[in-house]
């Protein structure tokens, strides 16, 4: 019987990952056509609208960029942990912790000059995200507690904290009893670069470049990659694993926290329940598509931002928002699926007696 | 064995059961054909009860717990396996968990049971118990394949023995009754295709590495070796012979600082390093060539250059950065001097062949100009050229005054290149020999248990 089977390629296909992403996009577009037809829309019209709204003119680019900023930082946070084989599923909560810390600074420093206020807000955001990651980091480094679970659970803590603040102590007295925190003072807002694209673009780009260089070219990053490839080898060469785990997870949380601070100061007017808007979870997808390489995060975040903005824009044409979510899901499916084929080839069982490096190889 | 149990599929050849050819696509196929396997790493679910684990994969759609527990305990009693079917698995000892694994296979009514090194997780009294259980199952008409590194267990439990070495059958179906243990031991350690020439004798200097009543535990928390006392002098190769799994791997790990010792002391160049970190040991001149090259010595997903600089990257920095040109130059140097054949130094190390991997690893370790080298199975799995190259490198080091410990399963290799030979069995040194005068027979005898320290099987 000839059964199809996946067999490991000796070398991954060159350019496999961009190719995979492109294929994923293509698959999503094709599925989308069927989906839109079934829902009674005109696919071409919808697609051109999506393109125009996300990449059609400077205003559209600004929207996409503003979306890509938190996605990229959150993706970077996940990728930093991922380069060492750790999973930070708590970026969502760390973004909120960062936003809370930044909002607090804005409350107490309302009369500081803008540049100092913004700098202090961002520093506080970094600290807030780092503090939320500290518990899971310590538990993993000292006791071996699985960081996936602890970081995930702290997301709940962070969102409840935001809810409590905006329903309670930080509620805006002028909000007619809506659960809203007060507006940020004007000088606490990040300046814009063009259209509505804000200064966070430069911050995010700088942080991504620094992190990529650090992971690729420094001794610190080298140790990180060694530890991510083989723990035993790291121990053998005298790298302290627990110290590494601790710093990497806290750093990951700090970067996510920065995303929260930038988002608060750049696009949101005030601290709200939806300040993170799922960026932390989308960041996991961004990092996965970038193969956990900090250097790949920027491009993926931009594309992902465009898909999200485009997806939102078609709601005005009467397309349900779930359709755009489904499209995003198919981009992911397609990209990950195509990624598999860049590393594995399909063979038929009967004629492959010699190449037996199967998936089940252990 | 994984092929027999349906975990892997064969590339070639066929498998017959009762004369019928069979092809297994998965373990379930094998079980249906009556072949079950107890793996070294148990396949059990800690939060389930014993009974639930036993019926795993063969459960009826509706679970009647009480009845299943009753049936499981009947089955257990029949073969003398004492376990409480309602107890959650995580509360059981390793020995009891193994009984659950055996029960699981008996539950499926397997006629052929494969046990992969079942005794490594057991205390001596549990080994005795396992022997009785297996005998009972054999009397019940079942066939049992018992895989072990330990000769006294094989001769105590089995009726026939087949010796496999490096994937080939060396001897098959030897009746235990009429086979000498010594003969078995020799078959197991075997002869190698080619070795380097015997080095010129030289006069060893003072002791560089000293072990004083050193003890340590294995991965399962049982004693791996105890009270080891010996020293390695400058300019000599001390061979550690013995069948694998008798504490050699743990010994190498303890010397390298990757496993804590539980008693005794270890010193190098006269200073105590019992508690020292692996990094400190390396800096003080200890090189380690681990048995598991890709898992312990190298980082498989990183490039050849990244792997080459593992020991020296701390010296190749400017500020926080690793100097790429320096790293590459260093890597090129190692690759050239030690004859690593590789096209792309930025390519992943996993693309190298076994021999080239080992040359890179050994080259990297020797480049630090060590005073002590611990080499664990350094030539295993290499081709003829590779074996010779590694052996010659070690001899060269010895000639220049380095103290070398070489752990190997290949007795001929040790008899040729070692200056002294220690034989390890069940975590103890069973004898010391001069390789120039010792015979294979004598050494082979020492590899066997003397029957006092271990079980009475």
């Amino acid at each position: 019987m000839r059964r199809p089977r996946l067999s490991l390629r000796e070398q991954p296909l060159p350019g496999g990952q961009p190719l995979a992403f492109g294929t994923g996009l293509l698959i999503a577009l094709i599925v989308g056509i069927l989906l839109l037809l079934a829902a009674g829309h005109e696919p071409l019209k919808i697609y051109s609208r999506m393109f125009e709204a996300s990449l059609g003119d400077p205003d559209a680019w600004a929207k996409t960029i503003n979306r890509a900023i938190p996605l990229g930082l959150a993706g970077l946070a996940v990728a930093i942990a991922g380069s060492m084989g750790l999973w930070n599923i708590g970026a969502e909560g760390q973004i909120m912790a960062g936003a809370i810390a930044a909002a607090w600074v804005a409350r107490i420093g309302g009369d500081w000059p803008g540049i100092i206020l913004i700098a202090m807000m961002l520093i506080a955001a970094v600290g807030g995200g780092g503090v939320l990651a500290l518990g899971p980091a310590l538990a993993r480094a000292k006791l071996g507690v699985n960081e996936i679970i602890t970081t995930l659970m702290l997301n709940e803590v962070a969102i409840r904290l935001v809810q409590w603040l905006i329903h309670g102590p930080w509620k805006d007295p002028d909000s007619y009893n809506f659960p809203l925190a007060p507006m940020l003072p004007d000088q606490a807002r990040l300046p814009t670069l063009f259209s509505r694209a804000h200064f966070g673009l430069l911050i995010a780009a700088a942080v991504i470049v620094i992190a990529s260089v650090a992971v690729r070219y420094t001794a610190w990053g080298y140790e990180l990659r060694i530890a991510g490839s083989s723990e035993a080898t790291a121990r053998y060469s005298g790298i302290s694993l627990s110290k590494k785990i601790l710093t990497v997870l806290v750093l990951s949380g700090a970067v996510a926290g920065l995303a929260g601070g930038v988002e608060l100061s750049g696009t949101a007017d005030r601290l709200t329940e939806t300040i993170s808007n799922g960026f932390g979870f989308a960041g996991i997808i961004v990092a996965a598509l970038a193969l956990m390489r900090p250097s790949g995060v920027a491009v993926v975040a931009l594309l992902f931002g465009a898909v999200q903005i485009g997806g939102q824009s078609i709601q005005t044409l009467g397309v349900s928002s779930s359709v755009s979510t489904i499209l995003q899901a198919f981009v992911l499916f397609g990209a990950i699926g195509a990624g598999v084929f860049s590393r594995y080839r399909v063979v038929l069982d009967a004629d492959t007696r010699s190449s037996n490096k199967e998936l089940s190889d252990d | 064995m994984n092929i027999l149990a349906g975990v892997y599929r064969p590339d070639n050849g066929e498998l017959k059961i009762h004369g019928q050819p069979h092809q297994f696509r998965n373990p379930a196929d094998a079980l249906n054909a009556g072949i079950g396997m107890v793996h070294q790493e148990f396949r059990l679910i800690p939060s389930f009860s014993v009974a639930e684990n036993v019926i795993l994969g063969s459960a009826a759609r509706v679970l009647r717990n009480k009845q299943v527990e009753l049936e499981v305990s009947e089955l257990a009693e029949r073969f003398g396996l004492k376990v409480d079917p309602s107890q959650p698995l995580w509360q059981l000892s390793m020995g009891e968990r193994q009984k659950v694994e055996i029960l699981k296979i008996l539950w499926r009514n397997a006629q052929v049971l494969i046990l992969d090194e079942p005794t490594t997780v057991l205390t001596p009294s549990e080994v005795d118990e396992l022997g009785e259980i297996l005998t009972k199952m054999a009397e019940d008409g079942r066939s049992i394949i018992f895989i072990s590194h330990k000769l006294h267990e094989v001769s105590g439990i089995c009726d026939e023995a087949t010796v496999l070495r490096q994937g080939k059958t060396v001897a098959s179906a030897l009746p235990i009754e009429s086979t000498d243990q010594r003969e078995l031991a020799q078959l197991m350690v075997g002869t190698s295709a080619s070795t380097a020439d015997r080095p010129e004798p030289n006069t060893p200097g003072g002791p560089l590495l000293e072990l004083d009543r050193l003890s340590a535990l294995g991965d399962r928390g049982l004693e791996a070796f105890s009270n080891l006392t010996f020293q390695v002098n400058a300019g000599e190769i001390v061979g550690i012979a013995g069948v694998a799994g008798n504490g050699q791997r743990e010994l190498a790990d303890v010397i390298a600082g990757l496993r804590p010792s539980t008693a005794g002391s270890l010193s190098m160049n006269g200073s105590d390093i019992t508690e020292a970190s692996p990094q400190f040991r390396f800096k003080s001149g200890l090189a380690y060539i681990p048995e598991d090259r890709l898992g312990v010595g190298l980082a498989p997903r990183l490039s050849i250059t990244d792997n080459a600089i593992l020991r020296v990257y701390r010296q190749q920095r400017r500020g926080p950065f690793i100097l790429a040109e320096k790293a590459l130059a260093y890597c090129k140097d190692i690759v050239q001097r030690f004859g690593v054949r590789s096209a792309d130094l930025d390519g992943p190390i996993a693309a190298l062949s076994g021999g080239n991997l080992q040359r890179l690893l050994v080259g990297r370790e020797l480049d630090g100009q060590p005073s002590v080298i611990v080499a664990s199975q350094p030539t295993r799995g290499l081709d003829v050229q590779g074996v010779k190259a590694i052996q010659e490198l070690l001899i060269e080091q010895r000639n220049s005054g380095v103290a070398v410990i070489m752990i190997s399963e290949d007795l001929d290799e040790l008899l040729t290149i070692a200056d002294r030979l220690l034989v390890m069995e069940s975590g103890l040194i069973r004898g010391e020999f001069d390789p120039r005068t010792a015979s294979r027979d004598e050494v082979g005898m020492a590899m066997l248990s003397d029957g006092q320290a271990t079980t009475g099987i």
Side-chain angles (χ1 to χ4, degrees):
Chain A
M1 191 170 48
R2 288 158 72 92
R3 301 165 70 222
R5 188 165 59 79
L6 289 179
S7 168
L8 194 63
R9 290 180 197 272
E10 263 136 45
Q11 291 277 317
L13 279 186
Q17 202 54 20
L19 204 70
F21 199 90
T23 317
L25 213 56
L26 200 69
I27 292 172
L29 290 178
I30 294 167
V31 173
I33 290 177
L34 303 177
L35 207 66
L36 291 166
L37 282 176
H41 299 288
E42 291 172 55
L44 274 182
K45 198 173 140 202
I46 304 269
Y47 280 165
S48 70
R49 175 61 176 270
M50 278 178 80
F51 179 80
E52 266 170 27
S54 57
L55 303 169
D57 55 51
D59 287 348
W61 271 93
K63 275 190 199 153
T64 294
I65 283 170
N66 282 357
R67 181 59 61 94
I69 291 165
L71 285 177
L73 284 173
L76 179 67
V78 178
I80 287 175
S83 337
M84 200 180 149
L86 297 169
W87 284 97
N88 177 8
I89 309 295
E92 184 78 1
Q94 290 144 12
I95 289 173
M96 289 189 234
I100 292 173
W104 175 71
V105 170
R107 284 176 75 84
I108 59 169
D111 45 0
W112 301 348
I115 190 157
I116 293 177
L117 178 60
I118 289 176
M120 293 309 289
M121 281 171 72
L122 295 184
I123 290 169
V126 166
V131 165
L132 196 66
L134 184 63
L138 278 170
R140 171 69 208 258
K142 305 291 175 201
L143 304 168
V145 179
N146 187 329
E147 79 284 359
I148 299 179
I149 307 203
T150 48
T151 52
L152 179 66
M153 290 193 299
L154 280 177
N155 287 334
E156 281 305 307
V157 174
I159 185 146
R160 301 293 167 234
L161 195 60
V162 172
Q163 284 173 351
W164 172 70
L165 284 171
I166 62 181
H167 281 88
W170 287 5
K171 188 156 127 184
D172 185 357
D174 304 329
S175 71
Y176 305 101
N177 234 5
F178 282 109
L180 291 171
M183 300 278 274
L184 290 182
D186 279 344
Q187 75 271 30
R189 308 263 174 90
L190 283 173
T192 53
L193 298 171
F194 68 93
S195 178
R196 286 173 63 193
H198 62 76
F199 190 74
L201 174 65
L202 301 184
I203 297 175
V207 173
I208 289 174
V209 168
I210 291 170
S212 306
V213 169
V215 168
R216 184 71 192 84
Y217 296 106
T218 66
W220 179 83
Y222 174 76
E223 290 176 351
L224 193 77
R225 288 181 290 128
I226 293 278
S229 181
S230 165
E231 284 192 13
T233 303
R235 256 201 313 277
Y236 163 93
S237 65
I239 296 167
S240 161
L241 272 177
S242 62
K243 218 163 98 187
K244 213 86 213 161
I245 291 171
L246 192 69
T247 50
V248 164
L249 274 180
V250 169
L251 196 70
S252 170
V255 170
L258 177 66
V262 168
E263 183 65 9
L264 179 82
S265 173
T267 47
D269 305 323
R270 49 169 46 130
L271 185 66
T272 65
E273 269 181 57
T274 53
I275 181 80
S276 174
N277 206 5
F279 298 139
F281 297 117
I284 299 168
I285 299 170
V286 170
L289 288 176
L291 294 181
M292 295 295 168
R293 287 195 195 117
S295 52
V297 160
V299 176
V300 179
L302 260 179
L303 281 166
F304 221 70
V307 172
Q308 281 196 356
I309 295 294
Q312 277 173 10
S313 72
I314 55 176
Q315 289 176 40
T316 54
L317 296 179
V319 181
S320 135
S321 68
S322 16
V323 170
S324 87
T325 315
I326 291 173
L327 285 183
Q328 283 179 44
F330 270 102
V331 175
L332 181 67
F333 268 136
I336 288 178
V340 168
F341 289 111
S342 74
R343 270 166 291 136
Y344 293 88
R345 73 178 102 224
V346 180
V347 288
L348 292 174
D349 226 8
D351 49 43
T352 56
R353 305 215 139 211
S354 54
S355 65
N356 229 357
K357 280 187 198 159
E358 283 181 68
L359 278 170
S360 63
D361 224 329
D362 61 14
Chain B
M1 287 309 149
N2 274 321
I3 290 176
L4 287 188
V7 179
Y8 291 155
R9 272 175 278 177
D11 295 336
N12 265 312
E14 63 176 356
L15 168 67
K16 284 183 183 168
I17 303 168
H18 296 304
Q20 295 292 315
H22 272 71
Q23 266 202 332
F24 300 145
R25 273 173 296 133
N26 50 46
D29 280 357
L31 267 170
N32 289 336
I35 298 180
M37 176 160 178
V38 176
H39 295 268
Q40 236 176 325
E41 306 286 332
F42 297 150
R43 265 69 163 167
L44 296 169
I45 299 172
S47 57
F48 278 19
S49 75
V50 169
E52 283 168 329
N53 269 294
V54 168
I55 63 169
L56 202 70
S58 59
R61 273 170 215 282
V62 182
L63 287 181
R64 286 184 303 271
N65 278 338
K66 282 291 151 222
Q67 195 182 340
V68 168
E69 280 174 20
L70 202 70
E71 286 174 26
V72 168
S73 79
E74 273 169 17
L75 185 70
E77 241 161 72
R78 220 174 101 207
F79 293 99
L81 295 149
K82 282 172 230 122
V83 281
D84 172 5
S86 60
Q87 209 176 2
L89 191 90
W90 57 266
Q91 295 178 349
L92 303 186
S93 72
M94 280 299 170
E96 288 171 311
R97 286 179 198 203
Q98 187 173 64
K99 289 179 193 161
V100 177
E101 278 277 16
I102 295 172
L103 266 177
K104 198 164 94 181
I105 296 170
L106 290 173
W107 180 261
R108 309 285 195 90
N109 205 18
Q111 294 303 308
V112 180
L113 285 88
I114 306 169
L115 291 99
D116 187 8
E117 299 202 37
T119 55
T120 50
V121 298
L122 302 181
T123 61
S125 68
E126 284 175 328
V127 174
D128 290 346
E129 213 184 324
L130 177 69
E132 282 166 31
I133 294 165
L134 294 183
T135 312
K136 233 177 240 174
M137 292 196 293
E139 281 165 4
D140 194 54
R142 290 168 211 263
S143 315
I144 294 155
I145 302 176
F146 181 90
I147 303 169
S148 177
H149 275 123
K150 295 181 184 146
L151 267 177
H152 62 273
E153 292 170 3
V154 172
S155 39
I157 295 175
C158 305
D159 300 310
E160 279 181 1
T162 291
V163 181
L164 294 180
R165 201 174 62 233
Q166 291 175 351
K168 293 203 173 69
T169 310
V170 180
S172 74
L174 301 170
I176 289 289
E177 297 272 301
S178 57
T179 308
D180 193 6
Q181 283 207 14
R182 220 178 316 173
E183 203 179 311
L184 270 182
Q186 286 200 4
L187 287 169
M188 285 167 79
V189 289
T191 58
S192 50
S194 103
T195 42
D197 300 329
R198 181 188 293 278
E200 293 293 310
N202 68 353
T203 338
L208 287 182
L209 188 75
E210 289 165 280
L211 285 75
D212 185 20
R213 283 164 295 149
L214 200 64
S215 307
L217 301 180
D219 294 339
R220 312 249 183 204
L222 299 176
E223 194 155 80
F225 62 85
S226 58
N227 275 319
L228 289 192
T229 301
F230 65 88
Q231 60 187 44
V232 189
N233 300 318
E236 70 169 353
I237 296 180
V238 171
I240 310 265
V243 177
N246 278 292
Q248 300 97 316
R249 185 171 59 86
E250 289 85 353
L251 173 63
D253 280 354
V254 168
I255 297 175
L258 298 177
R259 182 184 292 272
S261 54
T262 49
S265 70
L266 176 68
S267 54
M268 196 165 86
N269 300 330
S271 55
D272 188 280
I273 57 162
T274 317
E275 304 286 329
S277 70
Q279 173 67 4
F280 180 84
R281 292 175 206 224
F282 173 75
K283 271 194 206 145
S284 336
L286 178 80
Y288 180 37
I289 300 161
E291 182 181 327
D292 176 9
R293 290 158 211 160
L294 269 179
V296 178
L298 301 166
R301 277 187 293 172
L302 302 190
S303 72
I304 295 170
T305 309
D306 279 347
N307 274 286
I309 60 169
L310 188 67
R311 292 298 200 181
V312 296
Y313 71 92
R314 291 181 180 85
Q315 284 88 53
Q316 298 185 334
R317 285 181 299 185
R318 180 181 296 149
F321 294 98
I322 290 179
L323 295 169
E325 320 89 75
K326 246 185 166 175
L328 190 65
Y330 181 82
C331 178
K332 273 188 182 147
D333 178 50
I334 295 275
V335 162
Q336 253 164 32
R337 268 168 47 212
F338 295 92
V340 183
R341 273 190 301 276
S342 80
D344 180 11
L345 297 185
D346 282 326
I349 188 144
L352 290 183
S353 72
N356 283 319
L357 275 181
Q358 186 69 327
R359 282 171 208 243
L360 182 76
L361 174 59
V362 170
R364 185 186 76 198
E365 293 300 306
L366 298 189
D367 182 69
Q369 299 189 327
S371 53
V372 177
I373 297 171
V374 179
S376 194
Q377 314 282 4
T379 61
R380 191 165 70 182
L382 305 188
D383 60 17
V384 177
Q385 276 177 312
V387 168
K388 218 170 161 186
I390 299 295
Q391 287 172 344
E392 277 165 0
L393 280 172
L394 291 175
I395 291 170
E396 202 182 292
Q397 292 290 316
R398 161 233 191 227
N399 291 342
S400 62
V402 175
V404 181
I405 295 187
M406 178 161 180
I407 296 170
S408 175
E409 272 185 276
D410 186 335
L411 187 52
D412 283 344
E413 170 177 73
L414 293 181
L415 283 172
T416 312
I417 73 167
D419 297 292
R420 272 195 300 146
L421 192 58
L422 302 175
V423 174
M424 232 175 137
E425 194 275 332
S426 297
L428 298 169
I429 300 285
R430 296 293 191 184
E432 180 174 343
F433 299 90
D434 179 350
R436 285 169 199 83
T437 56
S439 70
R440 289 178 57 86
D441 268 10
E442 274 179 287
V443 182
M445 254 332 253
M447 287 184 182
L448 312 179
S449 165
D450 62 10
Q452 293 157 9
T454 51
T455 74
I457 294 180

